[in-house]
Amino acid sequence: MNRGDDLDDDFVIDDLVALSEDEAAPDADFFSDENDNANDSGSVEEEVAAGESDPRPTATDREAELAKKRKRREKEKERKAKKRKLAETIEVIQSSVADQSPVQLSDFLASHQAKVYSNMSALELEDMRIPASAIADTTSWTGPRTLDQLVDFIIKTNPTLTKRLTQKSKTTGAPTLIFVTGAALRVADVTRVLKDRKLRGDKGGEVAKLFAKHFKLTDHVAYLRRTKVGAAVGTPGRLGKLLCETDALAVSALSHIILDVTWKDSKKRSLLDIPETRDEVFQSVLGGRKVMQAIRKGTIQVILF
């Protein structure tokens, strides 16, 4: 007896969940439910039917076989649930470099910046440093810097940003917040969180998802030119191109840039551990002419999450 798959025939992965053309591809299998669902797609009855040797099994035999299959399925689901829970627990327990003071974080960013501009002199690097005065003090936050805590983190540590996110955007393509993260999967997750009504209220602007592969640069340019966005979440490669190669992503209303430095991919690499994304962060996002000028003027604060 074939009752079909548990998944719809037209089930596909959200095409927004893609990887940036300019970044290393993370292995998201560990945290994704996709493979779990795919493995569970066949019905119990199908498996029993496939393994039957007696073309006319008794009702008792069939029921016993079904019970065994169900029990195996339940154990497998329980194992996978424990695996995901363990990963979340490890993420919470680990301390974050972002817990440090603005002075320490300025040194931390400068150390990574030096890796990008290895041919520069100490004097030149000092001139490009993100000063402590431009880094938000988030030491009052004692909770984990995980995605489920992001809304509360912003509300508690950045009341100015919280207020601005609830206000109606006045200009297209001019967010008050840019959130920089290392992978498109993470972009999609962060975007969903930033749409929380506790942050946006009733008047807050749209939350833009900005990464490559399934979207041409021209697609994002067109979107930003017609949309009033309050926050833009993206990979550094795509954000950098929009900031430096087009006028579609403006900094006129930009007050905060969040660097997603605590989160790590399945290979335990953070945003600044991967050479490609680190280069893009310091060369075309923080190092972009318009952003750097605003940081020096004191109109943009950098937040490490």
Side-chain angles (χ1 to χ4, degrees), residues 175-189:
T176 189
L177 167 66
I178 288 180
F179 192 107
V180 189
T181 191
L185 283 167
R186 180 73 168 177
V187 170
D189 291 338

Side-chain angles (χ1 to χ4, degrees), residues 291-303:
V291 171
M292 183 57 70
Q293 287 177 351
I295 288 175
R296 288 173 177 170
K297 289 179 181 178
T299 58
I300 292 178
Q301 273 206 318
V302 178
I303 303 170

Side-chain angles (χ1 to χ4, degrees), residues 4-215:
D5 293 340
D6 293 336
L7 299 179
D8 294 335
D9 292 338
D10 59 348
F11 177 81
V12 294
I13 300 175
D14 184 355
D15 60 2
L16 292 177
V17 182
L19 295 177
S20 171
E21 63 195 1
D22 300 319
E23 66 205 27
D27 179 5
D29 291 343
F30 184 85
F31 297 97
S32 173
D33 290 333
E34 173 199 347
N35 289 335
D36 292 353
N37 292 337
N39 291 335
D40 295 341
S41 62
S43 67
V44 172
E45 288 80 0
E46 285 178 319
E47 293 186 16
V48 173
E52 289 173 351
S53 57
D54 186 350
R56 294 176 298 175
T58 65
T60 302
D61 292 340
R62 183 172 178 77
E63 186 60 34
E65 187 68 18
L66 286 171
K68 289 180 182 179
K69 295 292 183 181
R70 290 191 188 100
K71 189 173 182 180
R72 265 204 306 271
R73 284 287 176 80
E74 289 302 319
K75 286 185 177 180
E76 181 66 12
K77 288 180 180 179
E78 184 179 351
R79 183 188 67 80
K80 290 174 181 177
K82 287 181 178 179
K83 188 177 181 182
R84 286 193 293 269
K85 185 66 176 177
L86 177 60
E88 293 170 2
T89 303
I90 292 173
E91 183 181 13
V92 170
I93 292 174
Q94 289 177 339
S95 61
S96 170
V97 66
D99 294 336
Q100 301 178 89
S101 69
V103 172
Q104 292 171 311
L105 293 177
S106 178
D107 291 339
F108 167 74
L109 292 177
S111 67
H112 283 284
Q113 197 171 45
K115 297 176 183 178
V116 177
Y117 299 104
S118 57
N119 294 327
M120 283 190 175
S121 66
L123 189 61
E124 289 173 319
L125 287 171
E126 188 64 27
D127 188 53
M128 297 185 66
R129 170 192 281 262
I130 307 298
S133 59
I135 299 175
D137 187 347
T138 61
T139 54
S140 62
W141 178 258
T142 57
R145 301 195 183 216
T146 51
L147 205 54
D148 61 324
Q149 298 292 318
L150 178 57
V151 172
D152 291 336
F153 169 84
I154 292 175
I155 292 173
K156 180 173 181 179
T157 64
N158 297 275
T160 300
L161 174 59
T162 304
K163 181 179 179 180
R164 289 175 64 88
L165 286 171
T166 62
Q167 296 172 346
K168 187 175 182 179
S169 303
K170 297 179 180 179
T171 309
T172 58
T176 189
L177 167 66
I178 288 180
F179 192 107
V180 189
T181 191
L185 283 167
R186 180 73 168 177
V187 170
D189 291 338
V190 172
T191 300
R192 283 190 287 270
V193 172
L194 291 182
K195 288 182 178 181
D196 193 303
R197 288 179 64 85
K198 290 199 307 185
L199 288 179
R200 294 175 65 201
D202 296 322
K203 299 180 180 179
E206 296 296 318
V207 181
K209 279 184 286 194
L210 305 173
F211 52 83
K213 191 171 181 178
H214 287 301
F215 298 96

